[in-house]
Amino acid sequence: MPKTNYDVAIIGCGPVGATLANYLKHYGHSVAVFERYKDVYFCPRAGGIDDESLRNFDTIGIYDRLNKNGDFFEGDLAFCDKDERPLGAFNRRRLGDELMFEYAGYYKQNMFHQPNMETALREAYQDSDLVDSYMGYDMLEIEDLSDTAKLKAKCLNTGEHIEIDAKYIVGCDGANSMVREALGVEITDFNYSEDYLIVDANVADKQYLKSRFPDGAKFILDPIYAGIVGQSPHGHVRLDFRRHTDSVIGGEFATEEDYIQAGNELIAARNFDLDKLEIVRRAHYTFEAKTPVKWRVGRFMVAGDAAHLTPPWSGQGMNMGIRDAANIALKINLVLSGKAGASILDTYTQERRPPSLKTIKAAVQTGKFMETTNPILVGLRNFGLRLSGMFAPIARAQFKNWQNKPPYKEGLIGGRHKVSGTWMIQPNFADRFGNVQRMDKFIGLNFALLSTGMPNGKNVHRFMTELDGVVLKVGVDFQDIDGRFMAWCKENDAHSVLVRPDRYIFDAGTDGDALCASLFNELGNFGEDGLIEERSGRKSMRGMKIYNGINGALYSVYGLLGAFAPKIVFDANAIEQVGVHGSHSIRALWGAICTMGLLILWHGLKSHSARATTLIVALVSTGLVAARLLGVAMDGTEGMVSDQFGPLVIEGVMAVGGLLIWRNRTN
């Protein structure tokens, strides 16, 4: 008889759902996985995989299989103009091994074969009695009953209905997520929506494949046919191209013949030989950018595309989902094993949503960057890319912005050291017998305290006995054979570092016992019910506030230029994107107002005749402050983003300064 009670039910068995099932299996929890389709989708839908996802796959045991079968390869990323003339590139030659490979021991940019990867993920969890797969089942209903969650599903083959209870339900069910709908929360919409035609094909002619397709992916910055041409393992290629109203593929797709004609015209437009391509799929995609304001409500959680829709231009859509799975599995394990209360699950949103927002914004900006038709912006864009081809430091800076994976600022982190919340490096270690392995093999799926000294104390003992924490001392438990760990400790002024099972740093410092005590204190702050309480010792964010103050001042200068030469600074059409936080047109307008206002205040200090002007500036600035605070109040925590601090400070100074100068001149 099938089980009817599980620790976790996962809806959706794509890469994210299958990864989560594997993590929970390794943690020792019972899982039911539901998927509408019985078989793995025959065609790759994602093309790029980064070093963090490969590290996660190594943790759950499928990396070696993928590597052995050639299911991924190190890929370069190139930019070219509409005539496919090269502009710039992100590759090892330009970026260097330190940036592209050495941090975690895996290459940062890889092309992979998604069907083989999903097959490996499914087979990896099927060898365990802890995971039951319900493939070919349609979801009928989910319900949060407070003390448990209930799921009802129907077998599409037999029509049989089943009901199960689970402590938690995680929706990995994609863009049209049923679980996201059940959360009942607002959606942050970045107002980005572009239609693309997708063509997938296999190329048997290896010489043609090598000569006509990139060894990775190529962005084609064409005002009409903007898009990407990419190659993945086993001879698969993909073409993503924008449906522009002035192009041959701008019509409506009503029939299969429409897709065939449009796909053939697209291939011809990019000068590919149709007879060299075995077309396996033609599809119409609408790329969007959205995310719910909460990713967990009660016993429901979302991950992957259910939690964040992003255009593919940063290559991070699936990779964000893999990081979601590692994060949420850690939190669920802490709750189910009795090491923390249920409110720790709220740290999932705290940790994963802010960096995902930044990644989505970067992808949206990259999309606009690709798609712009403004001739001045096209010239500036192409010039900037050519600079990256000439100067490696510029290429490295552009690559870091393009990937945009910021650290965690809140959540299950100590917050007392500059590296807390960042992703831990992975050096190679040697054990006592001289066997060399990556650091993660020494740690396993556990908390780990790594130290240059001999950590001891009652909290270290508790860490080992109550959390099954791993304690490793360099020179005793492992040899730092390449010196990278010691160099990292010296660079960051840390003698000990406490690493979470998802390889993010809880905290670092000089006293390992104190780090363990801090972790227990943090875990103890999460009760069974209620909201996460504010804990002492958090970062003051002073550095972020100072940074944003400077950032605001720089945007003022930027905005002044925009006031006199708007075509140079921003695309006039960007005003249509006012829903996107921080659009260039709005920043430029605000910057121009603030810059000219500050100039007027300076003039007011020098001239008695400027009383009326300074009063106007003061009143306008007060209005700006009031409007900003009102917006924050209306948006709640969603509105108080770090970008607010700089503008708020400058507007406040203008308001107070204007009133003081006006009063002084009046007297």
Side-chain angles (χ1 to χ4, degrees):
M1 294 293 293
K3 290 186 290 189
T4 58
N5 290 278
Y6 294 88
D7 291 326
V8 181
I10 300 171
I11 300 178
C13 193
V16 179
T19 299
L20 178 58
N22 275 284
Y23 264 106
L24 291 170
K25 178 198 80 170
H26 282 285
Y27 280 123
H29 303 298
S30 61
V31 182
V33 184
F34 289 85
E35 170 59 53
R36 180 177 178 83
Y37 302 101
K38 282 189 174 182
D39 299 320
V40 168
Y41 193 67
F42 70 95
C43 185
R45 286 172 287 188
I49 189 167
D50 67 12
D51 54 343
E52 189 167 355
S53 291
L54 290 178
R55 188 175 183 178
N56 284 323
F57 287 164
D58 208 354
T59 298
I60 58 178
I62 71 164
Y63 171 82
D64 289 338
R65 170 177 170 171
L66 298 177
N67 190 30
K68 180 181 178 181
N69 294 340
D71 292 327
F72 66 90
F73 63 78
E74 300 169 3
D76 293 336
L77 178 64
F79 296 91
C80 62
D81 64 15
K82 63 184 181 65
D83 298 317
E84 297 195 43
R85 293 173 297 195
L87 296 172
F90 295 150
N91 55 49
R92 180 179 292 180
R93 294 180 299 279
R94 300 300 303 155
L95 303 177
D97 281 348
E98 182 179 358
L99 177 61
M100 295 303 292
F101 182 80
E102 292 181 359
Y103 192 87
Y106 313 89
Y107 196 63
K108 277 185 177 290
Q109 285 183 167
N110 305 274
M111 309 302 292
F112 78 107
H113 193 263
Q114 185 173 348
N116 287 7
M117 181 266 287
E118 289 194 41
T119 298
L121 283 168
R122 291 189 182 188
E123 291 179 356
Y125 69 65
Q126 285 172 354
D127 65 357
S128 171
D129 293 336
L130 289 170
V131 183
D132 290 335
S133 293
Y134 295 87
M135 302 293 108
Y137 279 76
D138 195 19
M139 290 300 101
L140 300 177
E141 182 182 346
I142 58 174
E143 188 176 4
D144 186 342
L145 301 177
S146 183
D147 59 337
T148 189
K150 187 173 290 293
L151 179 152
K152 297 180 182 179
K154 179 180 73 173
C155 178
L156 295 175
N157 185 33
T158 65
E160 176 191 7
H161 287 215
I162 66 167
E163 293 186 14
I164 70 162
D165 290 327
K167 295 181 176 70
Y168 296 100
I169 293 177
V170 183
C172 304
D173 46 345
N176 300 310
S177 171
M178 175 186 189
V179 183
R180 184 183 63 229
E181 185 71 22
L183 295 181
V185 300
E186 294 181 7
I187 304 295
T188 300
D189 191 336
F190 292 84
N191 292 338
Y192 179 89
S193 179
E194 291 289 349
D195 290 340
Y196 274 73
L197 177 67
I198 309 301
V199 175
D200 287 283
N202 294 320
V203 180
D205 188 332
K206 294 183 179 180
Q207 185 61 37
Y208 185 79
L209 181 69
K210 184 176 181 180
S211 63
R212 287 294 286 119
F213 289 89
D215 188 21
K218 177 170 63 178
F219 283 64
I220 299 177
L221 308 180
D222 188 328
I224 296 179
Y225 291 108
I228 299 180
V229 174
Q231 177 188 168
S232 57
H234 312 306
H236 176 267
V237 297
R238 179 163 175 178
L239 295 80
D240 295 11
F241 282 91
R242 187 185 185 196
R243 290 181 60 201
H244 195 285
T245 54
D246 296 333
S247 76
V248 293
I249 60 169
E252 293 297 324
F253 296 150
T255 66
E256 180 64 24
E257 287 72 23
D258 293 337
Y259 279 94
I260 294 174
Q261 179 183 355
N264 292 346
E265 290 174 341
L266 186 155
I267 292 168
R270 290 262 53 101
N271 300 314
F272 290 111
D273 298 327
L274 183 60
D275 60 349
K276 295 286 188 179
L277 307 182
E278 178 194 351
I279 308 299
V280 295
R281 183 177 70 140
R282 302 172 182 86
H284 163 230
Y285 272 57
T286 299
F287 296 135
E288 296 182 300
K290 299 178 180 178
T291 180
V293 297
K294 291 183 179 181
W295 294 7
R296 178 250 174 167
V297 174
R299 296 187 179 273
F300 295 158
M301 286 163 275
V302 290
D305 284 355
H308 39 71
L309 284 173
T310 180
W313 315 132
S314 285
Q316 286 294 303
M318 184 202 73
N319 294 296
M320 287 195 294
I322 300 301
R323 294 194 285 278
D324 295 343
N327 190 293
I328 202 170
L330 164 63
K331 309 300 171 57
I332 288 177
N333 176 58
L334 289 171
V335 175
L336 295 181
S337 61
K339 296 167 184 173
S343 64
I344 200 173
L345 297 173
D346 288 330
T347 66
Y348 168 57
T349 303
Q350 278 188 319
E351 291 179 358
R352 291 293 310 131
R353 190 171 186 273
S356 296
L357 284 173
K358 290 183 178 293
T359 301
I360 294 170
K361 290 176 185 178
V364 167
Q365 292 303 321
T366 300
K368 293 178 183 178
F369 174 85
M370 290 173 52
E371 297 158 357
T372 182
T373 59
N374 184 301
I376 296 176
L377 285 179
V378 168
L380 290 173
R381 177 196 67 196
N382 293 355
F383 176 71
L385 287 172
R386 288 192 177 97
L387 283 179
S388 72
M390 297 168 58
F391 303 102
I394 294 177
R396 284 193 285 269
Q398 289 177 342
F399 178 76
K400 290 178 180 178
N401 180 68
W402 179 73
Q403 283 236 326
N404 210 325
K405 293 160 60 177
Y408 300 152
K409 298 294 184 182
E410 292 183 281
L412 184 60
I413 57 174
R416 294 168 179 82
H417 195 282
K418 64 180 180 180
V419 299
S420 62
T422 62
W423 193 44
M424 182 62 185
I425 65 168
Q426 182 174 210
N428 289 319
F429 292 163
D431 64 19
R432 298 175 182 178
F433 304 101
N435 299 313
V436 178
Q437 298 186 93
R438 291 188 173 104
M439 181 190 77
D440 292 353
K441 299 298 183 182
F442 285 75
I443 295 174
L445 206 55
N446 301 288
F447 284 95
L449 179 64
L450 307 176
S451 179
T452 61
M454 183 62 78
N456 54 63
K458 64 177 183 180
N459 294 298
V460 172
H461 180 72
R462 284 187 65 199
F463 177 75
M464 298 171 66
T465 56
E466 295 181 23
L467 289 179
D468 295 322
V470 175
V471 178
L472 298 173
K473 180 187 182 300
V474 64
V476 176
D477 301 297
F478 67 90
Q479 298 296 325
D480 183 23
I481 58 173
D482 52 15
R484 290 187 61 222
F485 177 73
M486 292 296 290
W488 182 89
C489 290
K490 182 177 180 181
E491 178 185 352
N492 293 288
D493 191 25
H495 298 290
S496 296
V497 55
L498 203 162
V499 183
R500 307 187 327 186
D502 61 352
R503 315 314 182 199
Y504 279 80
I505 296 173
F506 170 75
D507 216 342
T510 59
D511 186 343
D513 193 65
L515 293 179
C516 294
S518 176
L519 175 60
F520 281 110
N521 183 57
E522 289 292 304
L523 293 175
N525 281 320
F526 299 105
E528 280 296 327
D529 300 303
L531 300 175
I532 301 174
E533 299 176 0
E534 291 294 324
R535 275 94 68 198
S536 61
R538 285 278 178 238
K539 292 180 178 178
S540 67
M541 303 300 289
R542 185 178 303 165
M544 182 62 72
K545 295 175 184 178
I546 293 173
Y547 165 79
N548 281 289
I550 297 172
N551 193 41
L554 290 175
Y555 268 118
S556 298
V557 177
Y558 172 81
L560 185 62
L561 177 62
F564 294 103
K567 282 292 182 182
I568 295 178
V569 178
F570 59 89
D571 189 345
N573 293 330
I575 195 68
E576 299 174 3
Q577 305 295 334
V578 293
V580 180
H581 175 71
S583 74
H584 290 306
S585 57
I586 299 304
R587 279 179 167 173
L589 178 62
W590 174 86
I593 292 172
C594 289
T595 302
M596 288 185 284
L598 290 171
L599 290 174
I600 291 170
L601 287 179
W602 177 256
H603 178 67
L605 286 170
K606 300 295 183 181
S607 172
H608 285 275
S609 63
R611 288 180 299 172
T613 306
T614 54
L615 179 60
I616 292 173
V617 170
L619 293 175
V620 170
S621 300
T622 302
L624 288 171
V625 172
R628 191 177 295 278
L629 292 177
L630 179 61
V632 170
M634 292 175 64
D635 292 340
T637 56
E638 180 70 16
M640 182 49 77
V641 295
S642 61
D643 289 357
Q644 299 281 7
F645 294 124
L648 196 59
V649 169
I650 293 177
E651 291 161 1
V653 168
M654 289 171 60
V656 175
L659 287 172
L660 292 176
I661 295 170
W662 172 78
R663 182 178 178 184
N664 181 58
R665 296 307 183 198
T666 301
N667 295 334

